[in-house]
Amino acid sequence: AAPGGGPAPPPRLCINTMDPGTVNTKMLLAGWGRCGIPVSSATRSFEMLTDPVWGQKTGQINGAYPDAEVRDDEARRKLWDDLVRLTDASYPPPPGRPHVSS
């Protein structure tokens, strides 16, 4: 419960993505040889999971070259709305966007 006895606020979702790049994993070594960075240097995902600054960011794309639709607000809104409809989930609207019931 929130202070004052009301319901707790919904969790804040932080959704970020990353591409680790080419890392010399066993699979890469077996298929293509040593053409990436050492596993010990591939720390981006660990940093994103443990550094508190990533809990304050959302919608970040790191180390990847995304398709144009990833940065298309309309396509992202459609994806979100489709997922809400398919899962029957209910979330508070983002700031500046009215709540829409399906």
Side-chain angles (χ1 to χ4, degrees), residues 1-38:
R12 181 176 182 278
L13 298 177
C14 296
I15 301 172
N16 300 296
T17 186
M18 57 82 63
D19 178 348
T22 306
V23 181
N24 287 330
T25 60
K26 289 180 184 178
M27 184 172 70
L28 184 79
L29 295 173
W32 292 275
R34 192 170 301 278
C35 59
I37 63 171

Side-chain angles (χ1 to χ4, degrees), residues 8-102:
R12 181 176 182 278
L13 298 177
C14 296
I15 301 172
N16 300 296
T17 186
M18 57 82 63
D19 178 348
T22 306
V23 181
N24 287 330
T25 60
K26 289 180 184 178
M27 184 172 70
L28 184 79
L29 295 173
W32 292 275
R34 192 170 301 278
C35 59
I37 63 171
V39 171
S40 61
S41 297
T43 59
R44 183 176 296 145
S45 59
F46 176 78
E47 291 164 1
M48 289 178 72
L49 289 168
T50 60
D51 188 336
V53 73
W54 286 101
Q56 303 303 313
K57 298 178 182 184
T58 190
Q60 300 294 309
I61 301 167
N62 295 279
Y65 302 97
D67 294 337
E69 66 186 0
V70 172
R71 300 219 187 264
D72 179 332
D73 288 341
E74 187 176 322
R76 289 169 47 171
R77 182 171 292 124
K78 181 183 180 317
L79 173 61
W80 179 265
D81 292 342
D82 287 348
L83 293 172
V84 168
R85 180 180 50 78
L86 290 169
T87 62
D88 201 29
S90 176
Y91 299 97
R97 185 169 176 209
H99 183 73
V100 177
S101 298
S102 40

